[in-house]
Amino acid sequence: MCWCMYWRKTRAQWWDNGSENRADMKEIVEGGVPPGIVAYDGDEPVAWCSIAPRSEFPGLERSPTLRAVDAEPTWSITCFTIARSHRKKGLTSLLIRAAIEHAVENGAKVIEAYPMKNLPQKRRTVGEAFMGFSTTFEHLGFKQATERSRVRNI
């Protein structure tokens, strides 16, 4: 569904090897550790949520806003992709619930995400919505852990 490696690589690796992202994601999948959750409509994949231990996402550590809060082992929900035909149908919440279940089944005690705050409507860049919105996470019991940015926090 998605082979973005933006958070899974250092910035230098991402810029230098962007053409290898698909092969790199395939390697992760074939390594036996699911890199996320896929939602299907029948046999068709229609949505994706990236979730894994935070240690799998070195790109987060270089972000002044998204760097770790503490040394607690943490799982990270980093992004979503939903087919245009299936948007605005509640799939983000379903994916978050499935991601939580997956992480807990694999030993997670702490799960974090990096959603955009629900600010007054404005034009958003393509990438801004891919990490979800804070109200969706709050409805599912997530609490804001940082106040490093007026736009996006942990």
Side-chain angles (χ1 to χ4, degrees), residues 45-81:
V46 295
W48 156 261
C49 171
S50 177
I51 182 165
R54 185 182 174 98
S55 60
E56 298 291 317
F57 302 107
L60 292 172
E61 276 315 300
R62 277 171 284 299
S63 168
T65 303
L66 307 180
R67 69 184 185 279
V69 174
D70 54 33
E72 188 74 27
T74 303
W75 279 61
S76 297
I77 297 173
T78 58
C79 61
F80 302 90
T81 300

PDB file of all heavy atoms in Angstrom, residues 45-81:
ATOM      1  N   PRO A  45      -6.656  -3.779  -0.872  1.00  0.00           N
ATOM      2  CA  PRO A  45      -6.121  -2.931   0.197  1.00  0.00           C
ATOM      3  C   PRO A  45      -6.540  -1.481  -0.053  1.00  0.00           C
ATOM      4  O   PRO A  45      -6.409  -0.972  -1.166  1.00  0.00           O
ATOM      5  CB  PRO A  45      -4.605  -3.099   0.072  1.00  0.00           C
ATOM      6  CG  PRO A  45      -4.372  -3.592  -1.314  1.00  0.00           C
ATOM      7  CD  PRO A  45      -5.624  -4.287  -1.766  1.00  0.00           C
ATOM      8  N   VAL A  46      -7.099  -0.841   0.995  1.00  0.00           N
ATOM      9  CA  VAL A  46      -7.615   0.524   0.823  1.00  0.00           C
ATOM     10  C   VAL A  46      -7.019   1.529   1.811  1.00  0.00           C
ATOM     11  O   VAL A  46      -7.212   2.731   1.663  1.00  0.00           O
ATOM     12  CB  VAL A  46      -9.154   0.556   0.918  1.00  0.00           C
ATOM     13  CG1 VAL A  46      -9.777  -0.212  -0.239  1.00  0.00           C
ATOM     14  CG2 VAL A  46      -9.648   0.044   2.250  1.00  0.00           C
ATOM     15  N   ALA A  47      -6.312   1.034   2.836  1.00  0.00           N
ATOM     16  CA  ALA A  47      -5.744   1.959   3.815  1.00  0.00           C
ATOM     17  C   ALA A  47      -4.551   1.316   4.516  1.00  0.00           C
ATOM     18  O   ALA A  47      -4.460   0.094   4.624  1.00  0.00           O
ATOM     19  CB  ALA A  47      -6.801   2.363   4.837  1.00  0.00           C
ATOM     20  N   TRP A  48      -3.677   2.166   5.017  1.00  0.00           N
ATOM     21  CA  TRP A  48      -2.422   1.736   5.629  1.00  0.00           C
ATOM     22  C   TRP A  48      -2.117   2.607   6.832  1.00  0.00           C
ATOM     23  O   TRP A  48      -2.355   3.817   6.811  1.00  0.00           O
ATOM     24  CB  TRP A  48      -1.315   1.863   4.598  1.00  0.00           C
ATOM     25  CG  TRP A  48       0.075   2.027   5.131  1.00  0.00           C
ATOM     26  CD1 TRP A  48       0.769   3.198   5.268  1.00  0.00           C
ATOM     27  CD2 TRP A  48       0.946   0.999   5.589  1.00  0.00           C
ATOM     28  NE1 TRP A  48       2.014   2.947   5.774  1.00  0.00           N
ATOM     29  CE2 TRP A  48       2.148   1.601   5.984  1.00  0.00           C
ATOM     30  CE3 TRP A  48       0.822  -0.377   5.702  1.00  0.00           C
ATOM     31  CZ2 TRP A  48       3.221   0.879   6.490  1.00  0.00           C
ATOM     32  CZ3 TRP A  48       1.894  -1.093   6.208  1.00  0.00           C
ATOM     33  CH2 TRP A  48       3.069  -0.463   6.590  1.00  0.00           C
ATOM     34  N   CYS A  49      -1.565   1.999   7.884  1.00  0.00           N
ATOM     35  CA  CYS A  49      -1.073   2.725   9.048  1.00  0.00           C
ATOM     36  C   CYS A  49       0.300   2.170   9.397  1.00  0.00           C
ATOM     37  O   CYS A  49       0.454   0.967   9.624  1.00  0.00           O
ATOM     38  CB  CYS A  49      -2.026   2.531  10.227  1.00  0.00           C
ATOM     39  SG  CYS A  49      -1.402   3.174  11.798  1.00  0.00           S
ATOM     40  N   SER A  50       1.282   3.031   9.448  1.00  0.00           N
ATOM     41  CA  SER A  50       2.634   2.620   9.815  1.00  0.00           C
ATOM     42  C   SER A  50       2.769   2.640  11.336  1.00  0.00           C
ATOM     43  O   SER A  50       2.558   3.674  11.967  1.00  0.00           O
ATOM     44  CB  SER A  50       3.655   3.571   9.189  1.00  0.00           C
ATOM     45  OG  SER A  50       4.960   3.221   9.582  1.00  0.00           O
ATOM     46  N   ILE A  51       3.118   1.485  11.912  1.00  0.00           N
ATOM     47  CA  ILE A  51       3.366   1.392  13.358  1.00  0.00           C
ATOM     48  C   ILE A  51       4.479   0.384  13.602  1.00  0.00           C
ATOM     49  O   ILE A  51       4.518  -0.681  12.989  1.00  0.00           O
ATOM     50  CB  ILE A  51       2.106   1.008  14.166  1.00  0.00           C
ATOM     51  CG1 ILE A  51       2.473   0.979  15.671  1.00  0.00           C
ATOM     52  CG2 ILE A  51       1.489  -0.279  13.673  1.00  0.00           C
ATOM     53  CD1 ILE A  51       1.308   0.977  16.610  1.00  0.00           C
ATOM     54  N   ALA A  52       5.393   0.751  14.492  1.00  0.00           N
ATOM     55  CA  ALA A  52       6.510  -0.110  14.859  1.00  0.00           C
ATOM     56  C   ALA A  52       7.162   0.493  16.108  1.00  0.00           C
ATOM     57  O   ALA A  52       6.832   1.609  16.508  1.00  0.00           O
ATOM     58  CB  ALA A  52       7.525  -0.178  13.714  1.00  0.00           C
ATOM     59  N   PRO A  53       8.094  -0.236  16.700  1.00  0.00           N
ATOM     60  CA  PRO A  53       8.842   0.376  17.803  1.00  0.00           C
ATOM     61  C   PRO A  53       9.506   1.667  17.331  1.00  0.00           C
ATOM     62  O   PRO A  53       9.984   1.764  16.196  1.00  0.00           O
ATOM     63  CB  PRO A  53       9.880  -0.688  18.153  1.00  0.00           C
ATOM     64  CG  PRO A  53       9.244  -1.976  17.731  1.00  0.00           C
ATOM     65  CD  PRO A  53       8.487  -1.628  16.471  1.00  0.00           C
ATOM     66  N   ARG A  54       9.523   2.650  18.201  1.00  0.00           N
ATOM     67  CA  ARG A  54      10.106   3.956  17.858  1.00  0.00           C
ATOM     68  C   ARG A  54      11.537   3.814  17.333  1.00  0.00           C
ATOM     69  O   ARG A  54      11.965   4.570  16.462  1.00  0.00           O
ATOM     70  CB  ARG A  54      10.068   4.881  19.082  1.00  0.00           C
ATOM     71  CG  ARG A  54      10.544   6.283  18.760  1.00  0.00           C
ATOM     72  CD  ARG A  54      10.551   7.179  19.986  1.00  0.00           C
ATOM     73  NE  ARG A  54      11.144   8.438  19.623  1.00  0.00           N
ATOM     74  CZ  ARG A  54      10.472   9.533  19.298  1.00  0.00           C
ATOM     75  NH1 ARG A  54       9.163   9.532  19.320  1.00  0.00           N
ATOM     76  NH2 ARG A  54      11.102  10.637  18.958  1.00  0.00           N
ATOM     77  N   SER A  55      12.262   2.821  17.819  1.00  0.00           N
ATOM     78  CA  SER A  55      13.643   2.606  17.381  1.00  0.00           C
ATOM     79  C   SER A  55      13.739   2.325  15.882  1.00  0.00           C
ATOM     80  O   SER A  55      14.811   2.465  15.292  1.00  0.00           O
ATOM     81  CB  SER A  55      14.269   1.467  18.179  1.00  0.00           C
ATOM     82  OG  SER A  55      13.535   0.269  17.989  1.00  0.00           O
ATOM     83  N   GLU A  56      12.632   1.941  15.244  1.00  0.00           N
ATOM     84  CA  GLU A  56      12.610   1.696  13.801  1.00  0.00           C
ATOM     85  C   GLU A  56      12.508   2.990  12.990  1.00  0.00           C
ATOM     86  O   GLU A  56      12.550   2.957  11.768  1.00  0.00           O
ATOM     87  CB  GLU A  56      11.426   0.792  13.440  1.00  0.00           C
ATOM     88  CG  GLU A  56      11.476  -0.588  14.060  1.00  0.00           C
ATOM     89  CD  GLU A  56      12.585  -1.437  13.475  1.00  0.00           C
ATOM     90  OE1 GLU A  56      12.755  -1.423  12.236  1.00  0.00           O
ATOM     91  OE2 GLU A  56      13.283  -2.099  14.260  1.00  0.00           O
ATOM     92  N   PHE A  57      12.343   4.121  13.678  1.00  0.00           N
ATOM     93  CA  PHE A  57      12.120   5.399  13.022  1.00  0.00           C
ATOM     94  C   PHE A  57      13.187   6.426  13.420  1.00  0.00           C
ATOM     95  O   PHE A  57      12.901   7.378  14.161  1.00  0.00           O
ATOM     96  CB  PHE A  57      10.730   5.943  13.382  1.00  0.00           C
ATOM     97  CG  PHE A  57       9.594   5.033  13.019  1.00  0.00           C
ATOM     98  CD1 PHE A  57       8.906   4.346  14.003  1.00  0.00           C
ATOM     99  CD2 PHE A  57       9.213   4.863  11.694  1.00  0.00           C
ATOM    100  CE1 PHE A  57       7.850   3.517  13.686  1.00  0.00           C
ATOM    101  CE2 PHE A  57       8.158   4.030  11.358  1.00  0.00           C
ATOM    102  CZ  PHE A  57       7.470   3.350  12.360  1.00  0.00           C
ATOM    103  N   PRO A  58      14.413   6.291  12.934  1.00  0.00           N
ATOM    104  CA  PRO A  58      15.470   7.232  13.325  1.00  0.00           C
ATOM    105  C   PRO A  58      15.177   8.671  12.915  1.00  0.00           C
ATOM    106  O   PRO A  58      15.689   9.604  13.533  1.00  0.00           O
ATOM    107  CB  PRO A  58      16.721   6.702  12.626  1.00  0.00           C
ATOM    108  CG  PRO A  58      16.216   5.831  11.521  1.00  0.00           C
ATOM    109  CD  PRO A  58      14.909   5.273  11.994  1.00  0.00           C
ATOM    110  N   GLY A  59      14.344   8.880  11.931  1.00  0.00           N
ATOM    111  CA  GLY A  59      14.000  10.232  11.500  1.00  0.00           C
ATOM    112  C   GLY A  59      13.295  11.037  12.577  1.00  0.00           C
ATOM    113  O   GLY A  59      13.358  12.265  12.580  1.00  0.00           O
ATOM    114  N   LEU A  60      12.620  10.371  13.512  1.00  0.00           N
ATOM    115  CA  LEU A  60      11.923  11.091  14.579  1.00  0.00           C
ATOM    116  C   LEU A  60      12.899  11.787  15.531  1.00  0.00           C
ATOM    117  O   LEU A  60      12.604  12.854  16.050  1.00  0.00           O
ATOM    118  CB  LEU A  60      11.042  10.133  15.387  1.00  0.00           C
ATOM    119  CG  LEU A  60       9.834   9.551  14.663  1.00  0.00           C
ATOM    120  CD1 LEU A  60       9.181   8.477  15.520  1.00  0.00           C
ATOM    121  CD2 LEU A  60       8.847  10.637  14.307  1.00  0.00           C
ATOM    122  N   GLU A  61      14.031  11.166  15.776  1.00  0.00           N
ATOM    123  CA  GLU A  61      14.977  11.710  16.761  1.00  0.00           C
ATOM    124  C   GLU A  61      15.597  13.027  16.344  1.00  0.00           C
ATOM    125  O   GLU A  61      16.021  13.796  17.177  1.00  0.00           O
ATOM    126  CB  GLU A  61      16.075  10.705  17.083  1.00  0.00           C
ATOM    127  CG  GLU A  61      15.690   9.708  18.136  1.00  0.00           C
ATOM    128  CD  GLU A  61      14.983  10.322  19.343  1.00  0.00           C
ATOM    129  OE1 GLU A  61      15.548  11.176  20.040  1.00  0.00           O
ATOM    130  OE2 GLU A  61      13.826   9.942  19.589  1.00  0.00           O
ATOM    131  N   ARG A  62      15.672  13.292  15.061  1.00  0.00           N
ATOM    132  CA  ARG A  62      16.266  14.543  14.613  1.00  0.00           C
ATOM    133  C   ARG A  62      15.269  15.695  14.575  1.00  0.00           C
ATOM    134  O   ARG A  62      15.622  16.822  14.314  1.00  0.00           O
ATOM    135  CB  ARG A  62      16.929  14.354  13.258  1.00  0.00           C
ATOM    136  CG  ARG A  62      18.325  13.782  13.439  1.00  0.00           C
ATOM    137  CD  ARG A  62      18.942  13.366  12.152  1.00  0.00           C
ATOM    138  NE  ARG A  62      18.433  12.121  11.606  1.00  0.00           N
ATOM    139  CZ  ARG A  62      18.506  10.940  12.205  1.00  0.00           C
ATOM    140  NH1 ARG A  62      19.027  10.835  13.382  1.00  0.00           N
ATOM    141  NH2 ARG A  62      18.059   9.859  11.629  1.00  0.00           N
ATOM    142  N   SER A  63      14.017  15.389  14.854  1.00  0.00           N
ATOM    143  CA  SER A  63      13.000  16.433  14.854  1.00  0.00           C
ATOM    144  C   SER A  63      12.951  17.121  16.211  1.00  0.00           C
ATOM    145  O   SER A  63      12.766  16.466  17.230  1.00  0.00           O
ATOM    146  CB  SER A  63      11.628  15.816  14.561  1.00  0.00           C
ATOM    147  OG  SER A  63      10.608  16.755  14.826  1.00  0.00           O
ATOM    148  N   PRO A  64      13.112  18.433  16.267  1.00  0.00           N
ATOM    149  CA  PRO A  64      13.017  19.135  17.548  1.00  0.00           C
ATOM    150  C   PRO A  64      11.634  18.952  18.189  1.00  0.00           C
ATOM    151  O   PRO A  64      11.506  18.933  19.402  1.00  0.00           O
ATOM    152  CB  PRO A  64      13.243  20.600  17.191  1.00  0.00           C
ATOM    153  CG  PRO A  64      13.767  20.625  15.811  1.00  0.00           C
ATOM    154  CD  PRO A  64      13.417  19.327  15.162  1.00  0.00           C
ATOM    155  N   THR A  65      10.619  18.773  17.368  1.00  0.00           N
ATOM    156  CA  THR A  65       9.260  18.611  17.865  1.00  0.00           C
ATOM    157  C   THR A  65       8.960  17.172  18.278  1.00  0.00           C
ATOM    158  O   THR A  65       8.279  16.939  19.267  1.00  0.00           O
ATOM    159  CB  THR A  65       8.252  19.035  16.766  1.00  0.00           C
ATOM    160  OG1 THR A  65       8.538  20.372  16.396  1.00  0.00           O
ATOM    161  CG2 THR A  65       6.827  18.931  17.255  1.00  0.00           C
ATOM    162  N   LEU A  66       9.484  16.194  17.538  1.00  0.00           N
ATOM    163  CA  LEU A  66       9.075  14.801  17.722  1.00  0.00           C
ATOM    164  C   LEU A  66      10.117  13.911  18.401  1.00  0.00           C
ATOM    165  O   LEU A  66       9.884  12.714  18.572  1.00  0.00           O
ATOM    166  CB  LEU A  66       8.678  14.199  16.368  1.00  0.00           C
ATOM    167  CG  LEU A  66       7.635  14.994  15.593  1.00  0.00           C
ATOM    168  CD1 LEU A  66       7.318  14.317  14.268  1.00  0.00           C
ATOM    169  CD2 LEU A  66       6.384  15.216  16.413  1.00  0.00           C
ATOM    170  N   ARG A  67      11.231  14.497  18.845  1.00  0.00           N
ATOM    171  CA  ARG A  67      12.243  13.688  19.540  1.00  0.00           C
ATOM    172  C   ARG A  67      11.620  13.057  20.793  1.00  0.00           C
ATOM    173  O   ARG A  67      10.605  13.537  21.307  1.00  0.00           O
ATOM    174  CB  ARG A  67      13.455  14.533  19.887  1.00  0.00           C
ATOM    175  CG  ARG A  67      13.195  15.571  20.947  1.00  0.00           C
ATOM    176  CD  ARG A  67      14.413  16.461  21.196  1.00  0.00           C
ATOM    177  NE  ARG A  67      14.170  17.365  22.285  1.00  0.00           N
ATOM    178  CZ  ARG A  67      13.500  18.511  22.201  1.00  0.00           C
ATOM    179  NH1 ARG A  67      13.017  18.897  21.041  1.00  0.00           N
ATOM    180  NH2 ARG A  67      13.320  19.261  23.266  1.00  0.00           N
ATOM    181  N   ALA A  68      12.231  11.992  21.279  1.00  0.00           N
ATOM    182  CA  ALA A  68      11.676  11.234  22.404  1.00  0.00           C
ATOM    183  C   ALA A  68      11.462  12.104  23.637  1.00  0.00           C
ATOM    184  O   ALA A  68      12.243  13.008  23.928  1.00  0.00           O
ATOM    185  CB  ALA A  68      12.606  10.076  22.757  1.00  0.00           C
ATOM    186  N   VAL A  69      10.404  11.789  24.360  1.00  0.00           N
ATOM    187  CA  VAL A  69      10.073  12.487  25.603  1.00  0.00           C
ATOM    188  C   VAL A  69      10.935  11.953  26.737  1.00  0.00           C
ATOM    189  O   VAL A  69      11.363  12.692  27.615  1.00  0.00           O
ATOM    190  CB  VAL A  69       8.574  12.291  25.942  1.00  0.00           C
ATOM    191  CG1 VAL A  69       8.224  12.866  27.294  1.00  0.00           C
ATOM    192  CG2 VAL A  69       7.710  12.892  24.862  1.00  0.00           C
ATOM    193  N   ASP A  70      11.192  10.633  26.725  1.00  0.00           N
ATOM    194  CA  ASP A  70      11.999   9.984  27.753  1.00  0.00           C
ATOM    195  C   ASP A  70      12.612   8.718  27.160  1.00  0.00           C
ATOM    196  O   ASP A  70      12.509   8.488  25.958  1.00  0.00           O
ATOM    197  CB  ASP A  70      11.159   9.672  29.006  1.00  0.00           C
ATOM    198  CG  ASP A  70       9.920   8.859  28.686  1.00  0.00           C
ATOM    199  OD1 ASP A  70       9.952   8.020  27.752  1.00  0.00           O
ATOM    200  OD2 ASP A  70       8.892   9.045  29.371  1.00  0.00           O
ATOM    201  N   ALA A  71      13.219   7.902  27.980  1.00  0.00           N
ATOM    202  CA  ALA A  71      13.883   6.694  27.493  1.00  0.00           C
ATOM    203  C   ALA A  71      12.973   5.465  27.511  1.00  0.00           C
ATOM    204  O   ALA A  71      13.411   4.363  27.206  1.00  0.00           O
ATOM    205  CB  ALA A  71      15.132   6.423  28.343  1.00  0.00           C
ATOM    206  N   GLU A  72      11.710   5.645  27.837  1.00  0.00           N
ATOM    207  CA  GLU A  72      10.746   4.537  27.892  1.00  0.00           C
ATOM    208  C   GLU A  72      10.603   3.882  26.511  1.00  0.00           C
ATOM    209  O   GLU A  72      10.445   4.580  25.507  1.00  0.00           O
ATOM    210  CB  GLU A  72       9.387   5.081  28.353  1.00  0.00           C
ATOM    211  CG  GLU A  72       8.362   4.047  28.639  1.00  0.00           C
ATOM    212  CD  GLU A  72       8.619   3.302  29.932  1.00  0.00           C
ATOM    213  OE1 GLU A  72       9.256   3.865  30.848  1.00  0.00           O
ATOM    214  OE2 GLU A  72       8.188   2.143  30.026  1.00  0.00           O
ATOM    215  N   PRO A  73      10.686   2.544  26.433  1.00  0.00           N
ATOM    216  CA  PRO A  73      10.453   1.881  25.137  1.00  0.00           C
ATOM    217  C   PRO A  73       9.051   2.239  24.627  1.00  0.00           C
ATOM    218  O   PRO A  73       8.067   2.095  25.346  1.00  0.00           O
ATOM    219  CB  PRO A  73      10.552   0.394  25.469  1.00  0.00           C
ATOM    220  CG  PRO A  73      11.296   0.321  26.763  1.00  0.00           C
ATOM    221  CD  PRO A  73      10.976   1.598  27.500  1.00  0.00           C
ATOM    222  N   THR A  74       8.990   2.702  23.403  1.00  0.00           N
ATOM    223  CA  THR A  74       7.761   3.256  22.863  1.00  0.00           C
ATOM    224  C   THR A  74       7.507   2.736  21.455  1.00  0.00           C
ATOM    225  O   THR A  74       8.452   2.512  20.700  1.00  0.00           O
ATOM    226  CB  THR A  74       7.877   4.798  22.812  1.00  0.00           C
ATOM    227  OG1 THR A  74       8.164   5.279  24.127  1.00  0.00           O
ATOM    228  CG2 THR A  74       6.630   5.456  22.296  1.00  0.00           C
ATOM    229  N   TRP A  75       6.248   2.554  21.123  1.00  0.00           N
ATOM    230  CA  TRP A  75       5.848   2.254  19.757  1.00  0.00           C
ATOM    231  C   TRP A  75       5.308   3.539  19.147  1.00  0.00           C
ATOM    232  O   TRP A  75       4.715   4.364  19.845  1.00  0.00           O
ATOM    233  CB  TRP A  75       4.784   1.166  19.740  1.00  0.00           C
ATOM    234  CG  TRP A  75       5.371  -0.211  19.873  1.00  0.00           C
ATOM    235  CD1 TRP A  75       6.103  -0.687  20.924  1.00  0.00           C
ATOM    236  CD2 TRP A  75       5.278  -1.273  18.944  1.00  0.00           C
ATOM    237  NE1 TRP A  75       6.464  -1.989  20.706  1.00  0.00           N
ATOM    238  CE2 TRP A  75       5.962  -2.368  19.483  1.00  0.00           C
ATOM    239  CE3 TRP A  75       4.670  -1.412  17.703  1.00  0.00           C
ATOM    240  CZ2 TRP A  75       6.074  -3.593  18.828  1.00  0.00           C
ATOM    241  CZ3 TRP A  75       4.773  -2.621  17.048  1.00  0.00           C
ATOM    242  CH2 TRP A  75       5.472  -3.693  17.607  1.00  0.00           C
ATOM    243  N   SER A  76       5.503   3.707  17.832  1.00  0.00           N
ATOM    244  CA  SER A  76       5.120   4.934  17.143  1.00  0.00           C
ATOM    245  C   SER A  76       4.170   4.670  15.982  1.00  0.00           C
ATOM    246  O   SER A  76       4.428   3.814  15.146  1.00  0.00           O
ATOM    247  CB  SER A  76       6.363   5.630  16.583  1.00  0.00           C
ATOM    248  OG  SER A  76       7.218   6.026  17.625  1.00  0.00           O
ATOM    249  N   ILE A  77       3.094   5.426  15.964  1.00  0.00           N
ATOM    250  CA  ILE A  77       2.197   5.472  14.810  1.00  0.00           C
ATOM    251  C   ILE A  77       2.642   6.698  14.022  1.00  0.00           C
ATOM    252  O   ILE A  77       2.483   7.822  14.494  1.00  0.00           O
ATOM    253  CB  ILE A  77       0.722   5.615  15.241  1.00  0.00           C
ATOM    254  CG1 ILE A  77       0.280   4.395  16.052  1.00  0.00           C
ATOM    255  CG2 ILE A  77      -0.166   5.842  14.018  1.00  0.00           C
ATOM    256  CD1 ILE A  77      -1.115   4.525  16.657  1.00  0.00           C
ATOM    257  N   THR A  78       3.228   6.481  12.848  1.00  0.00           N
ATOM    258  CA  THR A  78       3.816   7.608  12.129  1.00  0.00           C
ATOM    259  C   THR A  78       2.998   8.151  10.975  1.00  0.00           C
ATOM    260  O   THR A  78       3.128   9.330  10.648  1.00  0.00           O
ATOM    261  CB  THR A  78       5.218   7.251  11.593  1.00  0.00           C
ATOM    262  OG1 THR A  78       5.113   6.114  10.745  1.00  0.00           O
ATOM    263  CG2 THR A  78       6.187   6.998  12.731  1.00  0.00           C
ATOM    264  N   CYS A  79       2.192   7.320  10.317  1.00  0.00           N
ATOM    265  CA  CYS A  79       1.453   7.866   9.180  1.00  0.00           C
ATOM    266  C   CYS A  79       0.322   6.950   8.728  1.00  0.00           C
ATOM    267  O   CYS A  79       0.255   5.790   9.114  1.00  0.00           O
ATOM    268  CB  CYS A  79       2.382   8.156   8.010  1.00  0.00           C
ATOM    269  SG  CYS A  79       3.232   6.706   7.364  1.00  0.00           S
ATOM    270  N   PHE A  80      -0.523   7.536   7.886  1.00  0.00           N
ATOM    271  CA  PHE A  80      -1.672   6.845   7.307  1.00  0.00           C
ATOM    272  C   PHE A  80      -1.718   7.145   5.815  1.00  0.00           C
ATOM    273  O   PHE A  80      -1.346   8.234   5.393  1.00  0.00           O
ATOM    274  CB  PHE A  80      -2.986   7.363   7.900  1.00  0.00           C
ATOM    275  CG  PHE A  80      -3.072   7.229   9.388  1.00  0.00           C
ATOM    276  CD1 PHE A  80      -2.636   8.257  10.211  1.00  0.00           C
ATOM    277  CD2 PHE A  80      -3.589   6.086   9.975  1.00  0.00           C
ATOM    278  CE1 PHE A  80      -2.710   8.150  11.585  1.00  0.00           C
ATOM    279  CE2 PHE A  80      -3.663   5.970  11.348  1.00  0.00           C
ATOM    280  CZ  PHE A  80      -3.223   6.997  12.157  1.00  0.00           C
ATOM    281  N   THR A  81      -2.222   6.197   5.068  1.00  0.00           N
ATOM    282  CA  THR A  81      -2.570   6.424   3.668  1.00  0.00           C
ATOM    283  C   THR A  81      -3.920   5.761   3.470  1.00  0.00           C
ATOM    284  O   THR A  81      -4.094   4.589   3.805  1.00  0.00           O
ATOM    285  CB  THR A  81      -1.536   5.794   2.711  1.00  0.00           C
ATOM    286  OG1 THR A  81      -0.269   6.377   2.963  1.00  0.00           O
ATOM    287  CG2 THR A  81      -1.915   6.034   1.271  1.00  0.00           C
TER     288      THR A  81
END
